[in-house]
């Protein structure tokens, strides 16, 4: 458990100096790749910048996007006008434990970069998700890739994993949810470039497109009540194997596993639909 190095992700670790240095370096790299070496066009950038810079205090932000390459983050934030070098404004992001946290050096680096490890296949109630939930409860910005893995095919948005929906439901204050879709990073960092391997450096002279949608608003108390009534005696509860999820309680309502499944599925489908609509307008 010591390998998690949560302490390195804290804002006051060494007065925040290592974190600031990481964001200066990675932010400069992202800007160079996205704006100097390649061409990036962004639709509705102002909405994202406004929500990152000046949303009401205490209101968390969750951005969600498709996952086209291992460099989507940080390159997504390298476009002109975005405060990529500002460690304080920067997103927290869920990152695959088996890729980004393989050893102590990588773990320290990614922790400084405000990355939270996620163990793939360990479920939505794994310990690391509590870290992500704490970020939201602190009013922070969290980015997720709810499809769960990189896919470089030009294909519809895949069914979303329920982890993001569970965080939206469990947050003390319902987050603003902003869908995003992008293309071009699969050409900047192709999975199979030479001998089925990625290139050692990002490729140049590619066109990157980023579509930023409108914020989604979820009336969680109302959706909870609906989930409870719909899940009682529903096919959802009678035909699905229990995963041993805990009962969660909020707004005076207890949600059992069947109600949670209904709720997480509803939220995920709405986000997926918004992302697919953005993907269609990328063409």
């Amino acid at each position: 458990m010591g390998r998690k190095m949560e302490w390195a992700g804290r804002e006051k670790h060494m007065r925040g100096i290592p974190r600031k240095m990481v964001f200066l370096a990675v932010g400069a790299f992202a800007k160079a790749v996205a704006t100097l070496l390649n061409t990036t066009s962004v639709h509705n950038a102002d909405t994202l910048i406004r929500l990152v810079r000046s949303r009401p205090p205490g209101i968390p932000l969750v951005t969600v996007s498709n996952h086209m390459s291992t460099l989507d983050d940080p390159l997504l934030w390298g476009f002109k006008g975005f405060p990529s070098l500002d460690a304080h404004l920067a997103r927290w992001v869920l990152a695959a434990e088996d890729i980004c946290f393989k050893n102590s050096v990588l773990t320290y680096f990614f922790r400084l970069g405000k990355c939270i490890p996620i163990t793939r296949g360990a479920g939505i109630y794994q310990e690391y998700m509590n870290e992500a939930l704490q970020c939201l409860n602190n009013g922070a910005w969290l980015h997720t890739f709810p499809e769960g893995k990189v896919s470089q095919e030009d294909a519809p948005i895949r069914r979303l994993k329920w982890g993001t929906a569970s965080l939206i439901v469990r947050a003390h204050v319902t987050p603003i949810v902003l869908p995003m879709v992008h293309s071009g990073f699969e050409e900047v960092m192709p999975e199979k470039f030479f001998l089925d391997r990625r290139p050692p450096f990002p490729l140049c002279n590619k066109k990157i497109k980023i579509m930023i949608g409108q914020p989604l608003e979820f009336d969680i108390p109302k959706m909870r009540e609906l989930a409870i009534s719909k899940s009682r005696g529903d096919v959802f509860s009678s035909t699905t194997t229990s995963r041993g999820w805990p009962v969660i309680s909020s707004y005076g309502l207890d949600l059992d596993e069947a109600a949670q499944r209904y709720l997480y599925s509803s939220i995920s489908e709405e986000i997926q639909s918004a992302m697919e609509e953005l993907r269609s307008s990328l063409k």
Side-chain angles (χ1 to χ4, degrees):
M1 298 307 288
R3 202 176 65 159
K4 292 194 327 183
M5 291 190 197
E6 269 183 81
W7 47 268
R10 292 176 194 148
E11 191 171 9
K12 292 180 180 175
H13 168 59
M14 293 179 67
R15 299 183 180 180
I17 294 169
R19 177 189 283 186
K20 286 176 182 172
M21 290 172 66
V22 163
F23 275 97
L24 282 172
V26 175
F29 165 76
K31 288 229 178 265
V33 174
T35 61
L36 295 177
L37 303 178
N38 295 282
T39 306
T40 299
S41 62
V42 188
H43 170 78
N44 200 23
D46 289 350
T47 296
L48 174 64
I49 293 171
R50 175 175 51 82
L51 289 173
V52 167
R53 281 193 178 279
S54 54
R55 66 186 179 280
I59 305 292
L61 171 64
V62 173
T63 51
V64 293
S65 74
N66 56 329
H67 206 0
M68 297 294 279
S69 80
T70 51
L71 282 182
D72 289 357
D73 185 295
L75 298 188
L76 259 175
W77 323 116
F79 64 85
K80 190 176 179 182
F82 192 83
S84 316
L85 310 181
D86 190 323
H88 179 68
L89 289 177
R91 89 291 167 268
W92 290 86
V93 64
L94 302 182
E97 184 186 35
D98 59 323
I99 295 174
C100 302
F101 297 82
K102 285 192 287 195
N103 57 51
S104 56
V105 174
L106 284 176
T107 296
Y108 185 62
F109 174 78
F110 282 104
R111 280 295 194 180
L112 291 176
K114 296 170 78 169
C115 297
I116 298 169
I118 285 295
T119 308
R120 287 191 268 207
I124 64 175
Y125 287 108
Q126 61 180 279
E127 184 187 356
Y128 294 136
M129 289 294 274
N130 292 330
E131 279 189 58
L133 184 59
Q134 190 57 54
C135 287
L136 295 183
N137 289 339
N138 291 338
W141 166 28
L142 176 72
H143 184 74
T144 74
F145 297 100
E147 290 177 295
K149 61 181 180 181
V150 169
S151 173
Q152 301 202 321
E153 298 170 12
D154 181 13
I157 301 296
R158 299 189 302 280
R159 177 185 172 278
L160 305 187
K161 307 287 185 183
W162 288 351
T164 301
S166 79
L167 292 171
I168 293 167
V169 169
R170 293 158 62 204
H172 292 164
V173 176
T174 302
I176 298 167
V177 180
L178 188 68
M180 306 168 55
V181 168
H182 51 81
S183 67
F185 294 127
E186 74 281 6
E187 295 183 7
V188 174
M189 183 54 67
E191 287 288 296
K192 296 182 178 180
F193 177 65
F194 182 68
L195 299 177
D196 275 356
R197 288 180 175 272
R198 291 186 286 267
F201 304 105
L203 304 184
C204 307
N205 299 318
K206 309 296 182 186
K207 288 187 177 178
I208 299 163
K209 288 184 182 178
I210 302 171
M211 296 289 297
I212 297 167
Q214 295 302 322
L216 303 176
E217 293 184 13
F218 294 101
D219 186 344
I220 298 300
K222 187 176 177 182
M223 294 181 80
R224 280 172 176 272
E225 289 182 16
L226 183 64
I228 289 169
S229 63
K230 288 278 190 183
S231 62
R232 281 180 184 148
D234 196 88
V235 178
F236 241 75
S237 51
S238 57
T239 61
T240 331
T241 307
S242 170
R243 300 184 185 184
W245 288 354
V247 172
I248 62 173
S249 180
S250 181
Y251 297 98
L253 296 173
D254 285 344
L255 286 173
D256 62 13
E257 186 170 322
Q260 289 175 58
R261 285 174 181 271
Y262 186 91
L263 186 54
Y264 300 161
S265 176
S266 302
I267 291 171
S268 296
E269 284 171 14
E270 191 169 333
I271 295 173
Q272 181 183 359
S273 174
M275 290 171 68
E276 181 54 34
E277 199 173 313
L278 287 172
R279 194 189 75 87
S280 302
S281 55
L282 266 176
K283 307 294 182 186

